[in-house]
């Protein structure tokens, strides 16, 4: 059984409380309504402070100490969400209009038609319940957006929250792919307490993910200490490759800042390895009807992962596939500066690929 609706009746007339208790005795007995009473505005504010779950108020206008119009102004100033039904004389229409302008929900004129009062009370309670449900849905939607924002860039969050199939059917699409991880993480983590490992990973993910989102990328998944990100979702754009290159540059700068913080805490500096590639991939949901996962797969992705592995051999923080370098070329000062940092390493064999790939590395100095 649901809790009774709490209603605060504010009126200085001596017989008003008795009238309410008699008319609604069945609703009170059945715990449908629970009435509270006050004789002026200040007393009403005290009741609301003690019972903030009161959502409906029956309010007279002409009262001593604090009248109804002043109380309405106080309710608005204090941002109290209680709904007010004005109960006042018909000849007081000027004040009634003022009350409605100050936020009153409805009004009933004196002498009170008690049947009309009940209808008005129930109508107002229905509106309160409707608004409460809308607020619940809004809060749930906000929680959903917050959860999505942990994984997707801000430009995708609204679309993901509002569309039934925001990323569309499985399809082939050209994207930029980025893999990043911590160099030597396994050996580093082995002697560390699990709590310290988790703390370090959270910091790493925080710094790297911020760069991904700032460059309009999407986190496809976290794989231990590695992050797999994609640029060009849900639709490809002319700057996807350049955005991936910008992201890698931002990650390297973010690592420098993080390492300074670690040094101040007496912790060893970290190194990262980033692999970038550009090309076609298959994009869509995979899995069963019981568990679906959005994924990006294909040779472009596999090659990006292998390029990341080359960072160890070349002792560089960044290895870039030639297709991404070609796609990132533009008459743009940012593109020119970023590409100027790369050195052509020629064609390199990659594990699992029959043909070599031309790669570019970033100088370490």
């Amino acid at each position: 059984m649901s809790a009774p609706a709490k209603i605060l009746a504010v009126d200085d007339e001596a017989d008003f409380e008795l009238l309410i208790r008699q008319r609604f005795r069945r609703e009170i007995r059945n715990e449908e309504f629970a009435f509270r009473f006050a004789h002026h505005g200040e007393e009403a504010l005290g009741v609301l402070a003690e019972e903030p779950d009161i959502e409906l108020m029956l309010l007279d206008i002409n009262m001593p100490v604090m009248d109804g119009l002043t109380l309405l102004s106080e309710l608005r100033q204090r941002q109290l969400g209680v709904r007010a039904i004005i109960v006042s004389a018909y000849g007081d229409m000027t004040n009634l209009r003022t009350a409605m302008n100050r936020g009153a929900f409805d009004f009933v004129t004196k002498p009170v038609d008690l049947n009309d009062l009940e209808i008005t009370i129930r109508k107002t309670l229905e509106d309160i319940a409707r608004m409460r449900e809308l607020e619940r849905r809004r809060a749930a939607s906000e929680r959903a957006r917050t959860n999505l924002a942990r994984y997707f860039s801000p430009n995708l969050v609204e679309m993901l929250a509002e569309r039934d199939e925001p990323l569309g059917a499985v399809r082939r699409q050209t994207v930029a792919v980025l893999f990043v991880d911590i160099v030597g993480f396994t050996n580093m983590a082995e002697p560390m307490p699990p709590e310290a490992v988790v703390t370090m990973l959270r910091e790493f993910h925080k710094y790297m993910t911020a760069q991904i989102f700032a460059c309009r990328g999407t986190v496809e998944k976290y794989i231990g200490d590695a992050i797999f990100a994609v640029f060009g979702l849900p639709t490809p754009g002319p700057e996807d490759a350049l955005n991936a290159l910008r992201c890698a540059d931002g990650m390297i700068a973010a690592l420098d800042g993080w390492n300074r913080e670690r040094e101040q805490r007496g912790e060893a500096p970290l190194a990262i390895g980033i692999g970038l590639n550009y090309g076609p991939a298959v994009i869509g949901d995979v899995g069963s009807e019981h568990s679906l996962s959005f994924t990006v797969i294909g040779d472009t992705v596999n090659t990006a992962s292998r390029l990341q592995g080359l960072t160890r051999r070349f002792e560089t923080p960044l290895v870039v596939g030639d297709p991404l370098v070609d796609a990132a070329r533009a008459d743009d000062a940012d593109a020119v500066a970023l590409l100027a940092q790369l050195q052509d390493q020629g064609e390199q064999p990659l594990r699992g690929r029959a043909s070599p790939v031309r790669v570019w590395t970033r100088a370490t100095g």
Side-chain angles (χ1 to χ4, degrees):
M1 182 177 177
S2 60
K6 287 188 176 183
I7 303 171
L8 173 60
V10 189
D11 197 304
D12 64 325
E13 293 185 11
D15 60 347
F16 187 70
E17 179 175 342
L18 179 61
L19 185 69
I20 292 295
R21 290 188 184 280
Q22 288 180 341
R23 174 59 181 82
F24 294 103
R25 60 186 181 279
R26 184 181 63 185
E27 289 80 5
I28 295 171
R29 185 173 60 250
N30 293 338
E31 296 186 349
E32 183 181 1
F33 296 163
F35 284 94
R36 304 291 186 266
F37 296 91
H39 301 97
H40 52 73
E42 283 192 4
E43 191 175 337
L45 289 173
V47 175
L48 291 172
E50 291 179 1
E51 299 185 66
D53 57 337
I54 293 175
E55 295 181 308
L56 175 59
M57 182 167 55
L58 307 180
L59 179 61
D60 190 15
I61 291 180
N62 298 306
M63 296 179 295
V65 185
M66 180 187 288
D67 61 34
L69 296 180
T70 304
L71 177 56
L72 286 173
S73 297
E74 283 291 320
L75 294 176
R76 177 177 291 183
Q77 184 175 347
R78 301 185 188 193
Q79 297 183 333
L80 299 178
V82 60
R83 291 289 182 91
I85 298 173
I86 300 299
V87 183
S88 189
Y90 180 77
D92 208 14
M93 288 304 295
T94 300
N95 282 335
L96 282 173
R97 288 178 60 86
T98 302
M100 300 300 287
N101 289 334
R102 293 188 183 183
F105 180 76
D106 208 335
F107 69 91
V108 174
T109 57
K110 292 181 178 181
V112 178
D113 181 328
L114 292 174
N115 288 328
D116 182 39
L117 178 60
E118 180 181 356
I119 291 171
T120 305
I121 287 174
R122 292 189 181 280
K123 180 183 70 174
T124 307
L125 289 173
E126 288 174 1
D127 187 79
I128 290 170
R130 185 164 51 251
M131 294 302 296
R132 190 189 303 124
E133 175 62 16
L134 288 174
E135 175 59 24
R136 186 194 66 78
R137 293 182 182 181
R138 186 205 63 77
S141 176
E142 191 61 34
R143 283 195 302 273
R145 284 172 167 79
T146 299
N147 288 331
L148 287 168
R150 296 176 182 176
Y151 303 97
F152 297 94
S153 58
N155 62 306
L156 294 179
V157 168
E158 289 299 319
M159 181 192 65
L160 288 167
E162 294 173 0
R163 297 187 191 176
D164 292 332
E165 292 185 287
L167 298 173
V170 175
R171 64 196 183 278
R172 190 176 176 88
Q173 182 176 310
T174 300
V175 294
V177 178
L178 178 150
F179 280 87
V180 60
D181 74 350
I182 299 174
V183 176
F185 173 77
T186 302
N187 292 335
M188 184 189 314
E190 185 176 351
M192 293 173 62
E195 297 81 3
V197 173
V198 171
T199 298
M200 183 174 69
L201 282 178
R202 284 178 174 169
E203 283 192 303
F204 173 65
H205 290 160
K206 177 187 73 174
Y207 284 111
M208 300 300 110
T209 301
Q211 298 304 316
I212 294 168
F213 289 172
C215 297
R216 304 179 66 83
T218 296
V219 174
E220 207 279 349
K221 61 169 63 76
Y222 297 103
I223 314 164
D225 66 309
I227 304 174
F228 169 21
V230 181
F231 299 79
L233 291 179
T235 55
E239 291 199 341
D240 294 337
L242 182 55
N243 282 337
L245 199 57
R246 287 176 176 138
C247 181
D249 185 65
M251 286 177 167
I252 294 169
L255 178 68
D256 288 341
W258 185 28
N259 275 334
R260 286 193 292 272
E261 293 179 15
R262 290 177 59 83
E263 183 181 5
Q264 292 174 357
R265 300 195 299 255
E267 298 170 347
L270 301 177
I272 59 173
I274 306 170
L276 297 181
N277 198 27
Y278 183 77
V282 176
I283 297 172
D285 291 323
V286 297
S288 69
E289 60 179 326
H290 302 292
S291 179
L292 285 174
S293 175
F294 182 78
T295 192
V296 180
I297 57 176
D299 180 66
T300 299
V301 177
N302 297 337
T303 299
S305 178
R306 299 287 187 263
L307 293 174
Q308 184 205 29
L310 284 183
T311 59
R312 275 58 163 176
R313 191 210 303 176
F314 284 105
E315 297 182 347
T316 177
L318 176 62
V319 176
V320 185
D322 192 59
L324 189 136
V325 171
D326 284 342
R329 296 189 191 279
D331 294 330
D332 178 280
D334 194 21
V336 171
L338 291 172
L339 291 171
Q341 296 177 341
L342 302 180
Q343 298 175 352
D344 186 356
Q345 300 293 346
E347 293 192 341
Q348 299 291 329
L350 296 180
R351 182 168 55 87
R353 285 190 106 256
S355 56
V357 175
R358 185 182 180 188
V359 303
W360 300 70
T361 61
R362 175 159 165 162
T364 55

